[in-house]
Amino acid sequence: MNARVYRGGGFREGSLFVEEGVFVADAGQVADRTVDLGGRCVVPGLVDVHVHLREPGFPHKETIATGTAAAARGGYTTVCAMPNLDPVPDTPEHLRVQTDLIRRDALVRVLPYASITMGQRGCGELVDFEALAPEVAGFSDDGRGVQSAELMEEAMRRAAAVGKPIVAHCEVDELLCGGYIHDGGYCREHGHKGICSESEWRQVERDIALAEKTGCQYHVCHVSTRESVELVRQAKARGLRVSCETAPHYLLLCDEDLQEEGRFKMNPPLRSRADRDALVAGIADGTIEVIATDHAPHTAEEKARGLAGSAMGIVGLECAFPLLYKYLVLPGAISLERLVELMSVNPRRIFGLGGGLEPGQAADFTVLDLAAQYELDPAAFLSKGHATPFAGWPVQGRAVMTIVGGECVCDDVG
């Protein structure tokens, strides 16, 4: 009660009613429990379609328990887990190792991806799409681009046949040339090896053509270049089932912000100022429909080897909303309503997840305190990973309550 509730693309004063984990209409019944939200905003639970929970295989980096605790703290009620695991979820038996852990330890809803190729190698043999489809959000070899056009075309045909999306990490291996940051001014001035933008957009271009040929639903992971944005824009104009995501760090940083620290190293790398501006324009005009974190935790030691030697990846579940609210919504680059679309409404629609704040829907929702102001402190993260380029940044906005199926999994209302 006493909340600003997201409805129909805007916020209205009102209350929500939950019974047995589902939203119900107010039938005048006396509630067993009421919570006064003090005028805070209520939105459909945030969804992150790109996270690395590291388990099974790498519990020293993250676990299902710690990763979903971080998700709940960040306001996420659903996350989609990437398949770079051990074992790789490339067979029903391997997938079951992961889903057993999810059922045991997850605080929020976790939907796994199956790999596209056996062993998630980006080449070789395709997985059994039909056998894996009932349990997964889609198919991805995230971390590797599928190098063969013929193999990707067949993967798309099989994914289309089972009604699941291909969720593609786009990277042409032969264009990488040992690079690890963007091939731009900072790279050249500091003697680093660069990753060219073409290594991303060239495969996006190829895959969009294949998606048009096969009719497959196609989603591009962590778009970072202006060329990729334009390719997706053109594909959508042609009516193709193509979507893409970007991440907070690509919207708020560029290679001019790099420091000689591992917390600035991720894949794709931070690109140019022009790329960043194109991404912001893309979320404003609807070309980019999803913001995902690409939450990728590593140990402190793995991130302490500078730009050249550190592992690729940063964390993001616990800081995405406050960063985007402070640096995009408050300055007027996008509206709060658009941010809710990017972080909740659109990923639910694109991935067929359902959900919302209407009667009959599962009671998954997030309470946001938009007045909260503080500095980001990675030492306070619930994730095992603490590497973020945003350490110490002043932010505004906080998820203070996260509800999954009517159960409170994070309560910081105070």
Side-chain angles (χ1 to χ4, degrees):
M1 59 182 289
N2 189 19
R4 293 178 59 220
V5 182
Y6 179 88
R7 295 193 186 281
F11 288 89
R12 299 204 304 267
E13 299 294 326
S15 300
L16 290 169
F17 302 89
V18 177
E19 183 176 335
E20 295 183 354
V22 176
F23 289 118
V24 296
D26 176 18
Q29 65 266 47
V30 178
D32 293 333
R33 179 180 178 232
T34 61
V35 178
D36 187 339
L37 295 178
R40 296 179 176 92
C41 291
V42 177
V43 301
L46 304 185
V47 175
D48 193 340
V49 300
H50 192 141
V51 303
H52 298 267
L53 295 181
R54 305 300 193 200
E55 197 177 29
F58 310 96
H60 56 291
K61 297 175 186 278
E62 190 78 287
T63 64
I64 300 293
T66 59
T68 58
R73 167 80 67 82
Y76 292 94
T77 59
T78 299
V79 298
C80 299
M82 286 298 175
N84 53 337
L85 303 168
D86 186 12
V88 172
D90 54 7
T91 67
E93 293 74 24
H94 287 168
L95 177 62
R96 194 169 302 115
V97 178
Q98 182 185 8
T99 55
D100 285 348
L101 289 168
I102 291 168
R103 280 190 288 271
R104 188 188 75 185
D105 293 338
L107 284 178
V108 305
R109 302 185 195 276
V110 178
L111 301 176
Y113 289 107
S115 61
I116 295 172
T117 59
M118 295 298 294
Q120 197 206 357
R121 293 188 296 271
C123 60
E125 182 184 354
L126 294 173
V127 301
D128 185 337
F129 283 70
E130 186 175 7
L132 289 161
E135 298 294 328
V136 301
F139 295 86
S140 180
D141 269 3
D142 183 58
R144 294 181 176 89
V146 175
Q147 299 305 300
S148 163
E150 292 76 18
L151 192 67
M152 180 58 101
E153 180 177 344
E154 180 59 25
M156 286 188 176
R157 293 191 187 281
R158 296 188 189 185
V162 297
K164 293 291 182 177
I166 289 288
V167 180
H169 175 111
C170 289
E171 194 167 50
V172 180
D173 286 353
E174 65 183 20
L175 295 177
L176 296 179
C177 303
Y180 46 86
I181 64 172
H182 176 60
D183 187 17
Y186 186 96
C187 177
R188 292 186 288 272
E189 292 165 11
H190 293 80
H192 290 293
K193 294 181 179 180
I195 301 175
C196 66
S197 295
E198 187 178 0
S199 65
E200 174 182 297
W201 67 257
R202 184 64 71 188
Q203 201 164 93
V204 174
E205 182 179 54
R206 179 203 74 180
D207 285 356
I208 288 174
L210 294 175
E212 185 169 22
K213 183 178 181 180
T214 62
C216 177
Q217 181 185 352
Y218 176 67
H219 180 82
V220 190
C221 293
H222 43 48
V223 164
S224 70
T225 72
R226 58 190 182 274
E227 294 92 348
S228 296
V229 176
E230 185 56 30
L231 287 164
V232 171
R233 182 178 286 116
Q234 293 172 10
K236 293 170 76 67
R238 299 202 306 275
L240 303 184
R241 298 177 68 201
V242 170
S243 59
C244 70
E245 70 195 42
T246 194
H249 38 285
Y250 304 121
L251 295 165
L252 303 181
L253 296 168
C254 66
D255 67 340
E256 298 170 26
D257 300 303
L258 286 170
Q259 299 177 27
E260 293 294 315
E261 299 178 21
R263 64 193 180 97
F264 288 85
K265 186 178 183 183
M266 70 288 294
N267 191 25
L270 298 176
R271 301 288 187 182
S272 70
R273 180 188 293 262
D275 291 308
R276 183 195 64 191
D277 292 346
L279 293 168
V280 174
I283 62 169
D285 70 14
T287 299
I288 301 171
E289 296 180 84
V290 177
I291 296 177
T293 66
D294 193 5
H295 176 84
H298 295 286
T299 66
E301 193 277 331
E302 289 171 316
K303 294 298 289 181
R305 304 168 187 162
L307 286 176
S310 292
M312 295 277 198
I314 61 172
V315 296
L317 284 168
E318 294 169 80
C319 57
F321 179 83
L323 283 165
L324 296 167
Y325 184 72
K326 168 74 172 180
Y327 295 102
L328 291 179
V329 174
L330 292 181
I334 60 172
S335 66
L336 175 60
E337 289 79 5
R338 174 55 61 87
L339 185 58
V340 174
E341 291 172 2
L342 289 157
M343 299 186 73
S344 176
V345 178
N346 291 347
R348 290 179 182 280
R349 170 179 53 80
I350 291 167
F351 285 80
L353 304 180
L357 303 182
E358 304 304 320
Q361 298 284 356
D364 293 2
F365 63 95
T366 304
V367 180
L368 302 170
D369 182 352
L370 300 182
Q373 299 183 50
Y374 53 102
E375 288 188 357
L376 286 180
D377 177 11
F381 287 173
L382 299 180
S383 170
K384 286 189 174 185
H386 293 168
T388 171
F390 301 111
W393 279 39
V395 293
Q396 184 168 334
R398 187 198 300 271
V400 293
M401 183 178 288
T402 306
I403 306 293
V404 178
E407 298 294 324
C408 185
V409 294
C410 181
D411 186 352
D412 193 24
V413 172

